[in-house]
Amino acid sequence: MAEINTGSSDRGHKRGTRSRKLSTRVDMTPMVDLGFLLITFFMLTTVLTQPQTMDLKMPADDKEHPQALAESKSLTILLGANNSVRYYEGIGNDPLHPPVVKASSFANNHGIRDVIIDKRERVIKQHKEDGLMVLIKADKSANYKNVVDIMDEMLINHVERYAMVDITPEDVAYLK
C-alpha cells in the first residue's frame, strides 16, 4: 500500500515558539505497479479484430476432363461504365446464336437481384438442384463499387458458384 512518510524536524527553537515542519512523501511505486498490471491484463484479454476474408473455391485442375458448364444453368452479368449492368442467360460463346442481352440495375425493384432470384428458381425447377453458375464480367471502365455490389448480391442470394472472368470483345460490344 502507499504510505505517507512524515518527517519532523526540530531545528531552531526561537524564543519559545516551536515551529514544526512536516514533510509528506507519497510512495507511488505500488500505484504504478497496479497500472502496469491492469494494462497487461487488458492487453492479454482483449479480442483483436479478425480479418474478414471471402472463401475462394477453385475448380479441380483436371486438364483431361474439363468441366462443362450447361447453358441452361448459367447467367452472365456484365458491368460497365456509369453503373450500367447488362445480363444474358448462358455463356454466350456460340457465334451462330448470339445471346439476348438485357439491361438491369442495382435498384431494389426489378433490378439484378430479381434476375438472379428468377434464374435460380428456374434452374432448381428444371434441374431439380441448385446448380446456378453466375459469370461476372467487368469492363475496364466499371467502378469498384459495382463489383463489390454484385459480389454482395451473390452472397445475399446464396449463389454458391460464381466466377469473375475476363470480359471478351463481344461482351464489351454488348455493353454499348
Side-chain angles (χ1 to χ4, degrees):
M1 294 293 290
E3 63 184 37
I4 298 177
N5 295 328
T6 59
S8 63
S9 64
D10 290 335
R11 288 186 267 159
H13 293 285
K14 283 189 176 182
R15 297 188 205 153
T17 58
R18 219 163 115 173
S19 167
R20 188 171 174 186
K21 294 184 180 180
L22 298 176
S23 169
T24 58
R25 180 180 167 269
V26 178
D27 187 13
M28 296 298 287
T29 305
M31 190 175 294
V32 171
D33 290 344
L34 181 65
F36 279 113
L37 285 173
L38 286 173
I39 290 171
T40 305
F41 172 76
F42 285 118
M43 285 177 60
L44 293 176
T45 58
T46 301
V47 177
L48 300 176
T49 57
Q50 299 294 326
Q52 295 180 354
T53 59
M54 184 181 296
D55 292 332
L56 180 64
K57 297 177 185 174
M58 298 296 286
D61 192 18
D62 189 4
K63 295 186 181 188
E64 293 179 13
H65 303 93
Q67 295 179 344
L69 180 60
E71 290 277 332
S72 62
K73 290 184 175 183
S74 62
L75 175 69
T76 302
I77 299 174
L78 307 172
L79 303 174
N82 301 323
N83 299 325
S84 67
V85 179
R86 306 243 188 266
Y87 69 94
Y88 58 86
E89 295 187 17
I91 303 171
N93 58 357
D94 187 4
L96 298 176
H97 302 289
V100 178
V101 180
K102 298 176 184 173
S104 186
S105 66
F106 286 104
N108 290 336
N109 295 331
H110 305 294
I112 195 68
R113 181 177 297 175
D114 293 335
V115 172
I116 294 168
I117 291 170
D118 180 56
K119 178 66 177 179
R120 186 169 180 233
E121 288 173 354
R122 286 187 285 136
V123 167
I124 291 172
K125 187 176 181 181
Q126 182 180 0
H127 297 281
K128 307 292 187 233
E129 66 177 353
D130 186 11
L132 174 63
M133 176 67 180
V134 178
L135 301 173
I136 303 167
K137 299 180 179 183
D139 188 15
K140 290 180 181 178
S141 58
N143 62 18
Y144 185 73
K145 179 187 179 303
N146 289 343
V147 174
V148 172
D149 287 345
I150 200 68
M151 296 285 224
D152 286 342
E153 290 296 331
M154 298 300 118
L155 185 65
I156 290 168
N157 294 304
H158 305 290
V159 176
E160 294 180 7
R161 297 175 58 208
Y162 59 92
M164 292 285 300
V165 286
D166 293 331
I167 193 163
T168 62
E170 294 84 14
D171 290 329
V172 173
Y174 297 148
L175 281 170
K176 296 180 180 177

